Amino acid sequence: MLPVSELNRLRREIVSELEALRAQPKRWTVNPTSDTPAQATSFQSSSSEGSSAKPAAELIVLARNLAQLETALQCGVQTLYCEFEDPKKYREAVAMVHCASGCAAPQRTIWVAPPRIFKMGEDWILNQVRSCNADGYLVRNHDHLKFFADCRRVGDFSLNVANRFSADYFKNHFGLERVTASYDLNFTQLEALLQSAPPEWFEITIHQHMPMFHMEHCVYCAFLSTGTDYTNCGRPCDKHQVKLRDRVGAEHPLKADIGCRNTVFNSMAQTGAEYVARMLALGARHFRIEFLNETPEQVVQTITKYRQLLRGEIAGAQLYRELKLLSQLGLRADRLQVNRQAQRSRTASRLKSVSGF
């Protein structure tokens, strides 16, 4: 709480200092013949080494409950991610995977995810996550990068890796095994990213219920409890499934984390299946599918279809039609995709008018 006179004095002081700095000679200049193209060439050359023997594409599965994890395990998935509402269950998940591995699956690994948001004083949550002794951690922010610095790590989408500079920074400066491509990229932009840096750096989410927004307000506590916070609410989030119905009737699932923050997910899962063939041609090999509230039967069906897609046995259009998914990669639709959706809408309108509906 400062008086206006003090704020004005600070403003005048800042302006005076800025003017003094502007009067000084420049300490650097933009060099039109910088080493940026050479750096890009080095990225591309390193990614092209050994291109004659490209590794097989890998399907990575993120589960949000033990039933989904067990089903993915039975399907033979080698890299498993867990994002549970209660990190205490990570111990059981890790034990399940490690006991199932043995000699039959020496390459199988389980990675767990801390809550996306970290606040001062919440180190106990990270300690709880780390105590499960997972093979690695899906890190979401800079506090995670520091806390799990001595562990195997993969960077999640919230690090917002959208160009080769951010990819190089997180991959090499922090020693991450892979980084997840930003959800802000449409396919044209993702294609440019895969061409500008080694494609094996990247993990691409091709199936998910898109997280729509993340909030500190706990809907569970507000509507399903007479309490005020986690100390007296009775943890209704452990017993109930909640969905928010929008004005058109779509029901969007709501999930809580250990810090009582809520995330609202899109009611309909979306897929980038139509672009997978092109991503494979560009050298991408790590593809993630994320489950939310799917049943074990739906998990098996989804994993089977995506494996067929990666083997080239079915087309992307067939996959999203059979699984009834929204065909869209990330948050932004490509112009081609928008045109296709508009064409489908016009076709549907014509059919209705002809049929007299």
Side-chain angles (χ1 to χ4, degrees):
M1 302 292 291
L2 290 175
V4 176
S5 59
E6 178 64 15
L7 292 174
N8 285 334
R9 187 195 67 77
L10 288 172
R11 178 179 54 81
R12 288 191 292 270
E13 182 180 337
I14 291 170
V15 170
S16 299
E17 290 182 5
L18 286 173
E19 288 178 342
L21 289 172
R22 290 189 65 182
Q24 296 177 5
K26 293 181 180 179
R27 289 183 289 180
W28 55 269
T29 57
V30 176
N31 185 355
T33 59
S34 66
D35 60 352
T36 301
Q39 186 179 11
T41 304
S42 66
F43 282 161
Q44 292 171 353
S45 62
S46 64
S47 64
S48 62
E49 292 175 1
S51 59
S52 58
K54 292 181 179 178
E58 180 184 17
L59 190 65
I60 299 165
V61 171
L62 184 144
R64 286 193 165 91
N65 56 56
L66 287 170
Q68 292 175 351
L69 176 66
E70 184 177 9
T71 304
L73 199 57
Q74 293 170 354
C75 289
V77 176
Q78 294 297 294
T79 303
L80 297 150
Y81 293 166
C82 290
E83 185 180 4
F84 294 172
E85 295 180 26
D86 186 359
K88 292 179 182 177
K89 296 181 180 179
Y90 282 160
R91 283 180 175 270
E92 185 178 352
V94 172
M96 180 190 299
V97 173
H98 286 172
C99 291
S101 295
C103 298
Q107 302 303 319
R108 182 173 292 150
T109 56
I110 177 170
W111 306 61
V112 299
R116 188 171 301 130
I117 302 299
F118 175 83
K119 286 186 173 182
M120 295 294 292
E122 292 184 344
D123 300 81
W124 63 273
I125 297 178
L126 300 185
N127 284 319
Q128 193 175 82
V129 171
R130 184 167 185 151
S131 67
C132 71
N133 295 319
D135 298 308
Y137 300 89
L138 188 64
V139 295
R140 274 85 180 274
N141 54 52
H142 280 268
D143 292 284
H144 297 168
L145 290 169
K146 180 180 179 181
F147 189 87
F148 299 102
D150 58 340
C151 306
R152 296 179 65 185
R153 294 160 297 160
V154 168
D156 203 7
F157 77 94
S158 51
L159 297 181
N160 200 32
V161 174
N163 54 53
R164 61 187 175 88
F165 298 107
S166 55
D168 179 55
Y169 175 71
F170 285 111
K171 176 73 171 60
N172 296 320
H173 181 75
F174 291 101
L176 303 185
E177 296 193 11
R178 293 183 301 276
V179 290
T180 306
S182 171
Y183 290 173
D184 283 333
L185 303 178
N186 59 27
F187 180 68
T188 302
Q189 295 163 334
L190 178 61
E191 185 177 33
L193 178 63
L194 293 174
Q195 291 173 326
S196 66
E200 62 269 17
W201 285 5
F202 302 102
E203 188 170 300
I204 303 164
T205 305
I206 55 174
H207 176 101
Q208 65 176 321
H209 289 262
M210 183 64 71
M212 296 166 63
F213 58 90
H214 195 64
M215 57 187 175
E216 192 164 16
H217 171 67
C218 183
V219 177
Y220 291 87
C221 184
F223 291 94
L224 297 175
S225 169
T226 57
T228 55
D229 57 31
Y230 71 95
T231 61
N232 55 21
C233 69
R235 298 287 298 175
C237 53
D238 293 336
K239 311 177 190 118
H240 300 280
Q241 290 188 4
V242 172
K243 297 179 181 179
L244 303 183
R245 185 181 294 118
D246 65 16
R247 65 183 183 278
V248 298
E251 295 183 345
H252 306 282
L254 184 79
K255 293 289 184 182
D257 65 17
I258 190 64
C260 299
R261 269 103 41 179
N262 289 188
T263 303
V264 179
F265 293 86
N266 198 333
S267 62
M268 192 172 185
Q270 67 181 57
T271 179
E274 284 193 288
Y275 306 106
V276 166
R278 177 58 181 156
M279 287 189 258
L280 286 169
L282 290 170
R285 288 297 178 268
H286 304 286
F287 299 94
R288 187 198 306 178
I289 60 176
E290 295 189 354
F291 294 110
L292 184 63
N293 51 6
E294 288 83 356
T295 64
E297 293 75 17
Q298 292 172 320
V299 170
V300 172
Q301 182 187 24
T302 304
I303 291 175
T304 301
K305 290 298 179 184
Y306 276 100
R307 281 177 169 167
Q308 292 175 340
L309 177 69
L310 293 179
R311 292 195 298 262
E313 297 172 0
I314 60 173
Q318 180 183 346
L319 182 144
Y320 77 73
R321 283 197 300 266
E322 292 184 0
L323 295 181
K324 297 180 175 59
L325 306 174
L326 173 66
S327 180
Q328 179 173 320
L329 183 72
L331 292 168
R332 301 180 183 179
D334 285 296
R335 184 176 299 176
L336 176 61
Q337 181 181 339
V338 171
N339 291 339
R340 286 177 178 171
Q341 291 173 346
Q343 180 64 34
R344 283 196 289 266
S345 298
R346 288 193 294 268
T347 303
S349 300
R350 285 197 295 268
L351 288 173
K352 288 182 180 180
S353 62
V354 170
S355 303
F357 293 155

